[in-house]
Amino acid sequence: METGTAGTAGPAGAHTEPVWTGLPRGLLKVRRLLLVVWLVPLAVAVGVLLGLLAGPAWAAFALLPLAVVAWGWPLLGRNWRSWRYAERADDLLISRGVLWREETVVPYGRMQLVEVTSGPVERRFGLASVQLHTAAAATDARLPGLLPEEAERLRDRLTELGEARSAGL
C-alpha cells in the first residue's frame, strides 16, 4: 500500500503525480467471505431441494451458485485493487473501477460533512468507511473498508482542511 501526499507544484509550475493509497486487504477478505457465505448455502439448498423434488439430474443446477463464486472471486480482487485515493493540497482524489474507471475529485472547500461509519460486518473485521458530503450532491464520495484509525485520521484532516478552505468564501 502506498501512502503519503503529493500534488504540489514542482519546478516551473509542473504538477507532480499524486501519491495513491490503496484500500486495506481486509476489505477484500470481507467481500470474498460475503460471496461465499451467501452463495455456498444457496448452492446446498438448491441441490437438496431440486434433488428431492425433481430428481438428481436437476440437482446439477446447484453448481450455478458455485460457478458464480468461482467467477466472482477474482473479480472482487480486481475491483479491490482498482480502489485508491490521494490527498493533494486542495482536494481529495478517489479512483475506482476496472472496466469503467471513475475518478472523483472532491475539493476540500466544498466539503460540508465527513462521516465515519462502520456496520456490524465492518466492525467485526476492524474496518470503517468514510462518506464525504459536498455542496453538490453529485460529487459525494465514499471510501469503503479503511482501518478505523485511518478513517478517523482522514475525517479529522478533511474536516480541518474543509473548514480552512471554506473560511475564505
Side-chain angles (χ1 to χ4, degrees), residues 1-5 19-21:
M1 214 181 343
E2 304 165 343
T3 58
T5 59
V19 177
W20 294 98
T21 303

Side-chain angles (χ1 to χ4, degrees), residues 4-34:
T5 59
T8 57
H15 288 281
T16 59
E17 280 293 313
V19 177
W20 294 98
T21 303
L23 298 183
R25 191 161 192 82
L27 178 64
L28 176 60
K29 290 178 182 177
V30 168
R31 287 181 174 175
R32 284 180 170 168
L33 177 68
L34 289 174

Side-chain angles (χ1 to χ4, degrees), residues 54-142:
W58 287 94
F61 279 103
L63 295 175
L64 289 175
L66 296 179
V68 172
V69 170
W71 176 72
W73 193 272
L75 290 181
L76 286 173
R78 287 183 63 195
N79 178 269
W80 168 75
R81 281 189 299 278
S82 76
W83 278 85
R84 58 191 187 152
Y85 65 97
E87 299 172 63
R88 298 193 305 181
D90 297 317
D91 51 36
L92 177 72
L93 300 177
I94 301 173
S95 179
R96 65 196 168 280
V98 177
L99 293 177
W100 285 271
R101 298 283 306 155
E102 185 174 332
E103 190 166 290
T104 304
V105 179
V106 185
Y108 297 135
R110 304 282 290 172
M111 287 186 207
Q112 293 183 329
L113 176 66
V114 181
E115 291 180 298
V116 174
T117 60
S118 187
V121 175
E122 283 181 315
R123 273 194 313 276
R124 171 67 180 93
F125 289 92
L127 300 172
S129 295
V130 174
Q131 177 75 40
L132 308 163
H133 300 279
T134 63
T139 58
D140 284 2
R142 183 173 184 265

